[in-house]
Amino acid sequence: MRLRQLMETAHMSENELSRRSGVPQPTIHRILMGTSKSPRIGNLEKLAKSLSTTTSYLAHGVSISSYSSHGAVAASVGFMPSALGFMSSTFEAINSTRQKLKHSTYHYPILDWPDLGWHSIKSSSFFKNTINNPNTNYEPSSYKTIGTGFWLSLNGDAMSSPAGVTPSLPAGTKILFDTGVTSTPGKLVLALLLDVTEPVFRKFIKDGGQSHLQALNPSYPLIPLKEDSLIFAVAIEAKTSL
């Protein structure tokens, strides 16, 4: 078991891990014994931090080292390894194309929302066609991504703040995303939900120990983040055309 292996490598007992992480020792023991089938994400996050690993590795056995700096790095909210693996190879192909452009600024592909939906992930042909399409457009930026960068143009008004409140991101705004930036509360993130066909762009928040996605437009409801949700990119830059 991954947790036990990490504890043995770190020469850490259940009591010591409990002291460092704040997770009760009985809870750690149940996870080790396999009697806790679905550990809380909050507890996994604490254990992962104390063991210098990722929540995704503890939960699914996929580590950040499995992906190069050109691949996809998911947030520790929970994800499907098969889906992330495909996204990683896809993003590597996109990044490879981008790396061929040797300019003083960096150029990232402009993707469409369906490019990043669950249904597209299940069928690699759509992604491959998009990457190999000579008509794919690129947008420049002075920002050098940590992981893979790509742009999306916003639809709708979910990220439009009330008058006088910043940031406000109306429809048509182009957002640069980086898959290599760690998502922390307060960041604007791109997430996939199991029952939604396209990614959702929202603010990542935690309230009372629960993770949610919050629109900047207060008329939209909070979206709870479940274990089968995937945060896979963080917003870095916004461009609005006049």
Side-chain angles (χ1 to χ4, degrees):
M1 185 178 182
R2 289 178 294 276
L3 177 58
R4 187 178 298 280
Q5 291 173 347
L6 289 169
M7 290 173 62
E8 290 176 353
T9 300
H11 303 288
M12 196 177 301
S13 66
E14 293 180 18
N15 288 333
E16 178 63 15
L17 180 57
S18 174
R19 185 186 68 80
R20 295 191 184 189
S21 66
V23 177
Q25 182 273 330
T27 299
I28 295 174
H29 184 75
R30 286 195 296 271
I31 295 174
L32 289 171
M33 294 297 102
T35 56
S36 178
K37 301 298 182 182
S38 300
R40 293 182 179 179
I41 287 297
N43 286 337
L44 288 180
E45 289 176 344
K46 294 176 182 177
L47 293 173
K49 183 177 181 181
S50 298
L51 292 166
S52 300
T53 186
T54 64
T55 309
S56 55
Y57 178 74
L58 280 182
H60 305 285
V62 180
S63 66
I64 286 179
S65 61
S66 299
Y67 308 101
S68 70
S69 61
H70 298 162
V73 180
S76 56
V77 175
F79 60 89
M80 295 183 173
S82 59
L84 186 57
F86 177 79
M87 290 168 65
S88 176
S89 60
T90 299
F91 286 154
E92 286 181 8
I94 294 175
N95 189 75
S96 177
T97 301
R98 182 251 296 176
Q99 289 296 325
K100 295 177 182 179
L101 301 173
K102 302 298 184 180
H103 300 294
S104 58
T105 56
Y106 303 93
H107 291 74
Y108 305 101
I110 302 173
L111 303 184
D112 293 324
W113 290 88
D115 293 351
L116 300 170
W118 286 120
H119 61 290
S120 296
I121 292 173
K122 294 177 182 178
S123 175
S124 62
S125 61
F126 186 87
F127 266 113
K128 290 178 180 178
N129 291 339
T130 300
I131 296 165
N132 296 325
N133 188 345
N135 295 320
T136 297
N137 293 317
Y138 288 77
E139 184 77 19
S141 172
S142 60
Y143 174 82
K144 183 178 181 180
T145 58
I146 298 172
T148 296
F150 59 89
W151 294 88
L152 285 174
S153 183
L154 297 188
N155 302 316
D157 63 351
M159 298 303 281
S160 294
S161 301
V165 178
T166 58
S168 184
L169 305 170
T173 303
K174 289 180 182 177
I175 305 294
L176 173 62
F177 292 94
D178 187 348
T179 63
V181 175
T182 301
S183 62
T184 54
K187 290 187 180 294
L188 304 182
V189 302
L190 199 61
L192 280 168
L193 310 178
L194 189 61
D195 56 350
V196 178
T197 58
E198 294 185 2
V200 176
F201 179 42
R202 295 289 192 273
K203 183 178 181 179
F204 176 37
I205 65 170
K206 281 194 174 184
D207 184 17
Q210 300 297 315
S211 297
H212 295 86
L213 297 175
Q214 181 185 53
L216 298 183
N217 186 335
S219 65
Y220 284 75
L222 284 177
I223 300 175
L225 272 175
K226 301 178 182 178
E227 292 188 7
D228 53 16
S229 301
L230 166 67
I231 292 179
F232 64 95
V234 174
I236 299 299
E237 182 181 338
K239 291 184 178 181
T240 302
S241 299
L242 298 177

